[in-house]
Amino acid sequence: MVDEVILLDYWPSLFGVRTRIALEEKNVKFDYIEQDLCNKSALLLEMNPVHKKIPVLIHNGKPVCESLIQVEFIDETWPKANPLLPSDPYQRAQARFWGNFIDQMLPGLGKLMWGANGEEQEEGKKEFVEMLKTVESELGDRTYFGGETFGYVDIALIGYYCWFDAFEKYGNFSIEAECPKIIAWAKRCVKRDSVAKSLPDSEKVTELVPELKKKKRVE
Amino acid sequence: MAEKEEVKLLGIWASPFSRRIEMALKLKGIPYDYVEEILEHKSPLLLALNPIHKKVPVLVHNGKTILESQVILEYIDETWKQSPILPQDPYERSKARFLAKLVDEQIITAGFVSMARADEKGREALAEQTRELIMNLEKELVGKDFFGGKSVGFLDLVAGSMIPFCLERGWEGIGLKVITEEKFPEYSRWVKNLEKVEAVKDCIPPREKHVEHMNYMGERIRSA
């Protein structure tokens, strides 16, 4: 039976990028359907009625929601090519812990980018930098978070990279100055086909920000 | 000859997160040492093992530290294969993980905020929000004894420790009726099933003490 794989996504989403990368790592053919988040499609609402959010992975008609859950699903459904999680339970636990930690950076980034005032934005920047430094010390001098193998934690974090230019511009700081190892790691990641194919252009993401800021003020 | 397993759990009696780990260990028949932590006076051991979050539960297995309750549950399931708690099928696993995330992120937040609100209208609004979220679990239980099917699974431990054996005690304390048998017949049946499972029953915090504790926590938040 040929698998039918559909991805409902929004091109600048750092979450959707993860799922795209995971599918590419496994050489899974999928149909990509761009979503308009201001005018949500019937399919999106049907497939993710709980949160009405992207990305949604639809495999043979069945929806899988939440990006890191999708990455695990992809790893379990197509186990042969490029394992994304280590086989050892303790290392898997480490990977899942760091995946969760990486997502805890989001509230700080939210304040940095969409904060109501300068004070909130500064607070957000501080939170983000502190957490990214913790992630950087976990990476240490390794090639990837999993060592020599690109995997789950790399996939969890690399989506943020296409937003780095935007964070730096609006936060008025240099991520490379704060976390040089993270930048070096990101540059290694973008050399991988799966990442190069999936990561949106940083410039286009940064150009989108004023429009997103306007929308958020209206909400 | 089998190597002697060293399993230690740092927890707090009232924490649904550490209770669910105890349930899993009991379900699988894994002997463990339990260390009771005090929220206001965290032990040097806890702070050394979990410097990033300084939270319970912490599982130590043969010198290796595992953090975060859902991560610990998956680790336990992968390490001790008897009485599996996660389904085999990847799609079913993803559903269990999705709903577990819903419990530990949205349901817990709506639930605790409903207790933290001092005004009746605010409480009822949050109670309604919580009901809507729990309805997703209600639907999942149709035709099943447990989320795990015939036996207790990952989602049963996550949702069980959190909702009937934690949030409901909090709501009881403030006289807020959130879940009724009429509106949630499947849920109500599921709770009765859970209470019959020894590994679960033995790990539920004692009711009166727990209701008192939840009241105290609610008061602290309301007066903050």
Side-chain angles (χ1 to χ4, degrees), chain B residues 169 172 195 204-212:
Chain B
R169 270 105 185 265
E172 187 183 316
E195 284 167 341
I204 302 173
R207 195 204 190 91
E208 252 181 70
K209 191 178 169 195
H210 201 193
V211 170
E212 209 184 294

Side-chain angles (χ1 to χ4, degrees), chain A residues 48 50-51 62-66 69 72-73 76-77 89-90 92-94 96-98 100-101 104 134, chain B residues 50 52-53 64-68 71 74-75 78-79 89-91 93-94 97-98 101-102 106 136:
Chain A
N48 191 356
V50 179
H51 299 304
K62 295 187 283 196
V64 179
C65 304
E66 302 286 313
I69 293 177
E72 286 220 45
F73 173 82
E76 290 166 3
T77 304
Y90 176 62
R92 290 163 76 85
Q94 295 283 86
R96 288 171 178 139
F97 173 86
W98 286 103
N100 292 342
F101 186 84
Q104 285 159 28
T134 305
Chain B
N50 191 358
I52 294 178
H53 298 305
K64 293 175 289 197
T65 306
I66 303 103
L67 308 170
E68 311 243 309
V71 175
E74 296 227 27
Y75 174 82
E78 289 168 4
T79 305
D89 172 67
Y91 175 65
R93 289 159 79 87
S94 74
R97 288 168 177 150
F98 174 83
K101 196 167 194 248
L102 192 73
Q106 283 85 11
N136 292 294

Side-chain angles (χ1 to χ4, degrees), chain A residues 38-56:
Chain A
C38 300
N39 191 14
K40 291 179 180 178
S41 68
L43 184 62
L44 174 58
L45 299 175
E46 182 197 334
M47 292 289 156
N48 191 356
V50 179
H51 299 304
K52 307 173 176 55
K53 283 183 174 176
I54 56 89
V56 180

Side-chain angles (χ1 to χ4, degrees), chain A:
Chain A
M1 175 182 156
V2 179
D3 283 313
E4 185 203 61
V5 183
I6 299 170
L7 180 66
L8 307 182
D9 198 1
Y10 173 52
W11 69 269
S13 164
L14 63 87
F15 302 109
V17 167
R18 294 164 170 175
T19 314
R20 287 179 245 160
I21 293 174
L23 290 166
E24 294 286 351
E25 282 285 318
K26 301 282 188 177
N27 283 312
V28 172
K29 287 196 165 36
F30 63 100
D31 287 323
Y32 177 93
I33 308 181
E34 185 68 40
Q35 299 299 298
D36 177 358
L37 298 181
C38 300
N39 191 14
K40 291 179 180 178
S41 68
L43 184 62
L44 174 58
L45 299 175
E46 182 197 334
M47 292 289 156
N48 191 356
V50 179
H51 299 304
K52 307 173 176 55
K53 283 183 174 176
I54 56 89
V56 180
L57 181 69
I58 310 171
H59 178 236
N60 295 334
K62 295 187 283 196
V64 179
C65 304
E66 302 286 313
S67 60
L68 293 180
I69 293 177
Q70 289 161 354
V71 174
E72 286 220 45
F73 173 82
I74 290 165
D75 203 33
E76 290 166 3
T77 304
W78 293 279
K80 294 196 183 124
N82 290 341
L84 304 176
L85 274 149
S87 50
D88 171 71
Y90 176 62
Q91 287 176 22
R92 290 163 76 85
Q94 295 283 86
R96 288 171 178 139
F97 173 86
W98 286 103
N100 292 342
F101 186 84
I102 283 163
D103 276 347
Q104 285 159 28
M105 292 197 296
L106 285 159
L109 286 169
K111 286 186 217 169
L112 161 59
M113 292 301 288
W114 325 115
N117 53 49
E119 203 184 307
E120 203 183 331
Q121 288 160 15
E122 272 306 305
E123 199 185 300
K125 179 165 82 183
K126 211 172 150 219
E127 269 175 47
F128 167 65
V129 171
E130 213 177 289
M131 292 188 84
L132 193 64
K133 284 188 167 161
T134 305
V135 174
E136 187 183 53
S137 63
E138 170 59 21
L139 174 68
D141 292 312
R142 289 181 285 187
T143 309
Y144 300 115
F145 285 90
E148 288 308 307
T149 322
F150 177 83
Y152 183 87
V153 182
D154 306 283
I155 294 174
L157 185 60
I158 196 64
Y160 286 76
Y161 184 58
C162 62
W163 278 83
F164 276 12
D165 284 354
F167 300 154
E168 287 178 332
K169 178 178 177 184
Y170 288 89
N172 194 23
F173 69 120
S174 156
I175 297 179
E176 186 152 18
E178 302 282 356
C179 301
K181 287 182 177 171
I182 293 286
I183 299 297
W185 158 86
K187 289 181 175 160
R188 287 193 288 276
C189 290
V190 298
K191 292 198 182 125
R192 286 184 82 80
D193 274 342
S194 63
V195 178
K197 270 185 187 172
S198 311
L199 218 58
D201 183 71
S202 288
E203 235 179 271
K204 293 204 170 92
V205 169
T206 310
E207 280 168 16
L208 193 60
V209 175
E211 193 185 310
L212 292 173
K213 277 192 186 261
K214 223 195 280 176
K215 285 195 185 129
K216 290 201 188 257
R217 274 198 288 275
V218 164
E219 273 162 28

Side-chain angles (χ1 to χ4, degrees), chain B residues 105-125:
Chain B
E105 289 182 11
Q106 283 85 11
I107 294 177
I108 185 184
T109 306
F112 274 96
V113 176
S114 73
M115 290 173 220
R117 295 293 293 268
D119 64 311
E120 207 182 306
K121 211 166 161 201
R123 283 182 182 183
E124 190 40 50

Side-chain angles (χ1 to χ4, degrees), chain B residues 162-204:
Chain B
M162 182 60 72
I163 311 173
F165 311 129
C166 179
L167 292 177
E168 287 214 66
R169 270 105 185 265
W171 291 322
E172 187 183 316
I174 57 171
L176 185 64
K177 201 71 181 129
V178 178
I179 302 175
T180 59
E181 197 164 339
E182 297 165 274
K183 288 211 170 118
F184 295 90
E186 307 293 338
Y187 170 96
S188 305
R189 186 177 53 82
W190 166 72
V191 176
K192 293 194 180 99
N193 287 342
L194 276 181
E195 284 167 341
K196 292 190 195 131
V197 178
E198 212 176 298
V200 172
K201 198 176 55 154
D202 287 349
C203 300
I204 302 173

